Amino acid sequence: MPTPSPSSADAIAAVLADRYGLAVRDLVQLPIGQGTVNYRATCADREVFVKHYPPSADLAAEERAIGLSELARRHAIPAAPVVANRHAQLIDTSTPHAVSVWQWMPGRVITVLNDRQCAQAGEALGRIHAVFAPLPESAAPAPEADAWLRMDPARLEATVDQLLGIIAERTRTGTADAFDAVAEQTLRERRAMLERLPKLIAELPAGLTTQVLHSDYSPVNVLFDGDTLTAVLDFRPPNPFLLSYDLGRMAFYPNTVASDPDWMEAARTLIAAYRTANPAVADVDILACARVALLQLLGSLYGVKQHYLRPGLFQDDLDEFWLLRHRTVTVLLGHLADTDQLLADLVATPNR
């Protein structure tokens, strides 16, 4: 996605004025997000967050995602209120600059949470899953989950080889840089790890729950003011997927696992709070969440693939995220028995 030009910012400011009645005093692009270009708009009477969607965006799906955020908010889950335009539309498509506008929420992103923050994050996710479980979409087929459970190591190995070939050509022509060297090392390690993928998938228990999720629940989409969770952001469309994915991704997030020596205790705190808030969760979904998180990371080349094939809007962040994710795969593979025992202990503990 290209960096927006000043003319794009001017056009968006005009949309805010004409379609939302917002007199923009300052519009600043934020260095966050890979799927949309995001702005903080300071207006005459308030501040708002603005998402500018690329032309390729599925705006109907994005509107359904906004609906989930509003549903969560109606159930007292702290989510940013969406601001409709003058015609009560959640996404303005009156110009080539499609946008949604949201109330600016207090707080900041914290990528490695303390115990109180872990408990609040787990409790919020549990409440989200409990609210979304009865939705009709939660009972629908989950083709994305079915496809995920059939991850093809050969396809992943072919992509790794393609990336290694690009690095080899850079080395041959003398254009390789420092990231190329570390990327080559991590890609060779990942290729060897992929041999374990089929067995890890086969070991997943049967009967894992699929339902509508947040689908992008992670520390970067949760705001805190001190130890108080102030907002859950960026809900994704209501496509059912593995419940253990949302939980495992948050409990075993790369920044935590790769940076916090007490990452297992952080996971324990978060999952215990989640179970309290969502007592209907099946034990099997708790027991599988660490392995599902591992498999999602192991079967993904997110970050390094973009670096060599289609750079993202903030590619330096993606490069660092690839290294964190790869380090996390290494740690989780080395602690399979430990995380299995952690989750078994949690399930054996009576839910409060």
Side-chain angles (χ1 to χ4, degrees):
M1 186 186 302
T3 300
S5 64
S7 60
S8 295
D10 290 343
I12 291 168
V15 168
L16 296 180
D18 296 341
R19 304 286 290 182
Y20 291 86
L22 295 172
V24 177
R25 293 177 175 172
D26 191 31
L27 186 66
V28 177
Q29 184 189 348
L30 303 172
I32 57 173
Q34 298 290 342
T36 57
V37 180
N38 302 307
Y39 296 89
R40 181 175 187 167
T42 302
C43 305
D45 59 346
R46 57 173 149 169
E47 289 186 317
V48 295
F49 179 84
V50 182
K51 279 188 177 185
H52 175 208
Y53 300 95
S56 59
D58 182 343
L59 296 181
E62 294 293 341
E63 189 161 339
R64 292 194 296 274
I66 294 172
L68 287 183
S69 179
E70 287 293 284
L71 175 63
R73 195 168 64 85
R74 289 196 296 273
H75 284 80
I77 294 161
V82 66
V83 178
N85 68 12
R86 295 182 188 272
H87 301 279
Q89 296 166 328
L90 303 182
I91 299 178
D92 188 274
T93 58
S94 62
T95 75
H97 299 85
V99 298
S100 61
V101 179
W102 307 75
Q103 180 176 313
W104 184 265
M105 299 299 286
R108 64 188 182 93
V109 167
I110 301 172
T111 53
V112 179
L113 308 182
N114 64 32
D115 283 349
R116 291 183 180 180
Q117 293 160 350
C118 282
Q120 291 212 17
E123 189 265 346
L125 182 60
R127 291 170 59 204
I128 289 168
H129 284 180
V131 168
F132 291 176
L135 294 175
E137 296 93 336
S138 286
E144 292 180 10
D146 294 339
W148 185 87
L149 291 167
R150 296 192 302 270
M151 277 188 281
D152 182 5
R155 180 183 59 82
L156 290 164
E157 289 168 356
T159 304
V160 170
D161 290 342
Q162 178 188 11
L163 302 180
L164 287 172
I166 294 170
I167 294 171
E169 179 62 18
R170 291 187 177 194
T171 301
R172 187 188 68 80
T173 59
T175 58
D177 59 21
F179 182 77
D180 291 326
V182 69
E184 179 180 14
Q185 177 184 342
T186 54
L187 285 167
R188 293 193 184 282
E189 292 171 354
R190 178 60 60 89
R191 200 184 194 289
M193 293 171 177
L194 289 175
E195 296 178 356
R196 302 182 65 174
L197 194 57
K199 184 173 185 292
L200 288 167
I201 293 175
E203 289 174 347
L204 285 177
L208 293 176
T209 301
T210 59
Q211 67 159 78
V212 173
L213 310 172
H214 178 284
S215 293
D216 196 12
Y217 198 80
S218 71
V220 299
N221 285 325
V222 179
L223 300 183
F224 285 91
D225 182 3
D227 290 338
T228 301
L229 191 154
T230 57
V232 178
L233 310 173
D234 209 19
F235 289 74
R236 303 311 305 139
N239 299 318
F241 199 69
L242 297 170
L243 180 150
S244 51
Y245 166 81
D246 241 12
L247 178 58
R249 183 172 187 258
M250 184 67 187
F252 300 97
Y253 194 65
N255 294 69
T256 306
V257 175
S259 307
D260 184 354
D262 295 324
W263 61 271
M264 289 189 65
E265 287 307 307
R268 185 191 301 276
T269 299
L270 190 146
I271 296 168
Y274 172 92
R275 290 182 72 226
T276 300
N278 186 21
V281 64
D283 288 351
V284 69
D285 297 310
I286 300 294
L287 293 170
C289 72
R291 286 177 175 250
V292 168
L294 166 61
L295 283 165
Q296 179 62 24
L297 293 170
L298 179 58
S300 172
L301 300 172
Y302 181 68
V304 70
K305 184 167 70 172
Q306 281 75 11
H307 183 99
Y308 292 106
L309 301 181
R310 189 178 179 183
L313 185 57
F314 299 105
Q315 187 57 49
D316 288 347
D317 292 344
L318 289 182
D319 292 346
E320 180 60 29
F321 198 42
W322 159 254
L323 298 178
L324 280 172
R325 285 162 65 94
H326 183 70
R327 199 176 312 146
T328 301
V329 170
T330 302
V331 173
L332 291 177
L333 281 173
H335 288 80
L336 280 176
D338 296 327
T339 54
D340 286 347
Q341 187 61 56
L342 166 69
L343 298 171
D345 291 345
L346 280 165
V347 166
T349 303
N351 212 348
R352 295 175 302 197

